[in-house]
Amino acid sequence: MDLLNDRGLPATGIRADTRPQLHTAPWLVPVSREPIRDGAVLVTDGRISAVGTATELLGDLRRNGTEFGEHAWEGVLMPGHVNAHSHLQYTCMADVGQGVYAGFEDWSRAFQVVYEEPHDWGASAADGLAIALAAGTTAISDIVTDTEAFEVLKHGQMHGIAYWELMSWLTDEWMSRGRSETIARLGTAPHDFLGLSPHAPYSLDTEVIRDLSTLSEELGVRRHMHLAESAWEAEYTLSGTGQLADQWRNWGYSEFAVLRAGGTQRRPVAYAESIGALGPDCHIAHGIYADAEDRAILRRTHTAVALCPRSNAVIGLDEAPVAAYLREGNRIAVGTDSLSSTPSLDLMGDVAALYALARAQGYAETDLHARLLHAATLGGAVAMGMETGDHRIGSLDVGALADFAVLDTLAPTAHDVVAALVEAGDGHNLATIISGDIRWQRTI
Ligand SMILES: [Zn+2]
């Protein structure tokens, strides 16, 4: 399958002007270095070819006699938002996300009823992509459950990884047909922009999760898993009891090895590590119920966690240990999750929520703004293995893909600009640029 070969290249017909394009702004926030007042980026063939002050870059262009186009933005120019966990196909389930729930099982019952109704998943995913684009998103870790939504990132010319989600597989059935069906779905050639998502530690048989790690290595793709999202997950993996265990037994999966054995005596993160489900080629979503030992495992295995605070609040879950993750130095990224559990697909809404959580949890360091902005950009790129190489994103650096957003949160000093970006919340995007193409612009 020739799925994503053209990802990262300009969309045919989008770019009218093939000359280098200079984008200037009162503030440039590259993330990989200090903000630049009256800054500029030069974009050549979809990549950033120079970063500096507007005066420097204009001087170079004129000295060299280079013809160029110019865009003077009245806002803060920053890397495009990298959404490290979403399900674009559930955009049509926004009504579920408007509810109030008492916990994961309560929400998942409401979700399941609506999910079972007929939907045009492809159209719903495309709607989600358009909404995310308008919010300043340039890359997404998109979890895909239904075939119709599989190529939305490709068709929408959005960067990121489409993770094919697997759940409800017993080992025998997986080995007899699930594995081959999955290989057919992803194609056999190794590639950078597809992934596998074993849904969660309780929704797949142990050997299936283990085999998905083997398969991802064989195919050369990354992995992504929901982990430590439900309070009942620990009971499930420790002793094979509790609400989640009862639910999966009722659904006919009492042959799952964990349920048959009466648990593993391991908490979810330790269980995931023991069956090879963690590692630098993998990131997890949520990580709410992660104690000090769990967080140490995530650090030891170089597994990033995509924090989704607004989704967690809608579902009625506890707060993730944001301050502890920051203090202890875990790799963190930010995700919105889907509209079925969050009010918007604007990542900056979750950044502001994380700021409030970290402060409330006692994180008093002055680096909080910068670290959360890093999590929403370069942190997401690291979670997807896209911080280096030909398709690198997440910061405004020479050689990176020219993915950026312009926000209307101007402030007088470098510190205030970063603080304003982080604390402003959603609804502040003015323009979204992907591979140098202006893909969305606010109209007054
Ligand atoms: Zn999710």
Side-chain angles (χ1 to χ4, degrees):
M1 165 185 348
D2 179 29
L3 189 55
L4 296 166
N5 285 349
D6 58 346
R7 186 76 56 77
L9 299 176
T12 311
I14 289 180
R15 184 183 301 159
D17 189 341
T18 55
R19 298 172 302 170
Q21 300 293 309
L22 186 73
H23 295 261
T24 63
W27 281 103
L28 192 74
V29 179
V31 169
S32 52
R33 57 165 146 157
E34 290 301 304
I36 302 169
R37 186 192 280 276
D38 294 320
V41 289
L42 185 68
V43 177
T44 308
D45 295 332
R47 290 180 189 280
I48 296 173
S49 52
V51 180
T53 66
T55 308
E56 286 166 354
L57 267 57
L58 272 167
D60 287 347
L61 286 163
R62 287 180 182 140
R63 241 190 327 277
N64 298 332
T66 309
E67 286 198 29
F68 62 96
E70 194 170 350
H71 308 269
W73 300 106
E74 278 306 314
V76 182
L77 200 156
M78 66 172 287
H81 312 158
V82 180
N83 189 339
H85 182 75
S86 193
H87 311 244
L88 291 176
Q89 73 170 84
Y90 300 148
T91 298
C92 62
M93 296 176 67
D95 282 354
V96 179
Q98 301 297 315
V100 178
Y101 302 95
F104 187 75
E105 294 65 30
D106 187 25
W107 170 83
S108 80
R109 266 191 296 273
F111 174 91
Q112 205 59 32
V113 170
V114 181
Y115 177 79
E116 299 295 343
E117 294 167 3
H119 297 282
D120 183 343
W121 295 123
S124 177
D127 288 347
L129 186 138
I131 293 168
L133 184 71
T137 311
T138 55
I140 300 181
S141 169
D142 187 32
I143 316 304
V144 184
T145 310
D146 291 273
T147 309
E148 305 91 298
F150 197 47
E151 297 197 351
V152 64
L153 291 181
K154 177 192 177 189
H155 294 314
Q157 300 271 328
M158 176 84 80
H159 293 137
I161 295 180
Y163 290 92
W164 181 244
E165 187 172 54
L166 287 314
M167 68 171 87
S168 313
W169 287 101
L170 281 154
T171 300
D172 288 351
E173 213 186 344
W174 168 257
M175 290 305 178
S176 63
R177 69 180 180 90
R179 194 178 214 272
S180 53
E181 284 176 16
T182 301
I183 291 170
R185 161 78 48 241
L186 265 69
T188 49
H191 34 58
D192 294 336
F193 306 110
L194 294 178
L196 287 171
S197 179
H199 166 251
Y202 53 84
S203 58
L204 290 163
D205 213 348
T206 303
E207 288 309 312
V208 179
I209 298 176
R210 204 193 297 273
D211 188 49
L212 280 167
S213 303
T214 307
L215 183 58
S216 69
E217 221 171 290
E218 286 173 17
L219 295 173
V221 302
R222 297 182 68 85
R223 292 169 292 146
H224 180 44
M225 184 189 229
H226 296 83
L227 189 61
E229 181 181 13
S230 160
W232 295 95
E233 243 173 84
E235 249 186 300
Y236 179 101
T237 61
L238 279 164
S239 56
T241 59
Q243 280 195 27
L244 270 177
D246 293 345
Q247 194 175 54
W248 283 83
R249 280 198 180 93
N250 289 339
W251 287 343
Y253 294 92
S254 47
E255 287 304 303
F256 276 173
V258 173
L259 295 176
R260 234 180 28 235
T264 65
Q265 285 78 56
R266 289 187 166 99
R267 289 173 50 80
V269 175
Y271 165 64
E273 185 194 25
S274 75
I275 57 173
L278 304 180
D281 61 331
C282 165
H283 76 290
I284 64 160
H286 303 297
I288 300 166
Y289 301 94
D291 64 15
E293 199 181 316
D294 298 332
R295 297 191 297 270
I297 292 171
L298 294 174
R299 287 195 301 280
R300 189 169 69 232
T301 56
H302 307 290
T303 307
V305 54
L307 300 166
C308 310
R310 292 188 303 166
S311 167
N312 302 159
V314 166
I315 292 176
L317 304 170
D318 292 318
E319 296 172 2
V322 182
Y325 278 130
L326 288 163
R327 266 191 219 108
E328 296 164 6
N330 282 70
R331 294 181 179 193
I332 60 165
V334 189
T336 57
D337 219 327
S338 79
L339 283 188
S340 74
S341 64
T342 198
S344 85
L345 296 179
D346 189 329
L347 200 65
M348 299 312 277
D350 286 282
V351 169
L354 286 172
Y355 179 82
L357 283 180
R359 287 294 190 229
Q361 292 171 7
Y363 189 87
E365 304 299 322
T366 53
D367 65 358
L368 182 56
H369 294 111
R371 291 187 68 184
L372 291 178
L373 203 61
H374 182 281
T377 53
L378 207 44
V382 168
M384 289 191 278
M386 297 181 75
E387 83 282 19
T388 58
D390 279 353
H391 297 275
R392 72 181 178 278
I393 56 170
S395 61
L396 302 179
D397 291 309
V398 172
L401 292 173
D403 286 9
F404 46 91
V406 185
L407 275 70
D408 67 2
T409 49
L410 283 170
T413 68
H415 171 270
D416 290 350
V417 162
V418 176
L421 284 171
V422 167
E423 295 185 49
D426 53 0
H428 292 276
N429 190 46
L430 289 174
T432 310
I433 290 86
I434 299 182
S435 291
D437 296 317
I438 300 171
R439 295 285 305 278
W440 186 86
Q441 199 170 345
R442 189 193 288 176
T443 49
I444 299 159

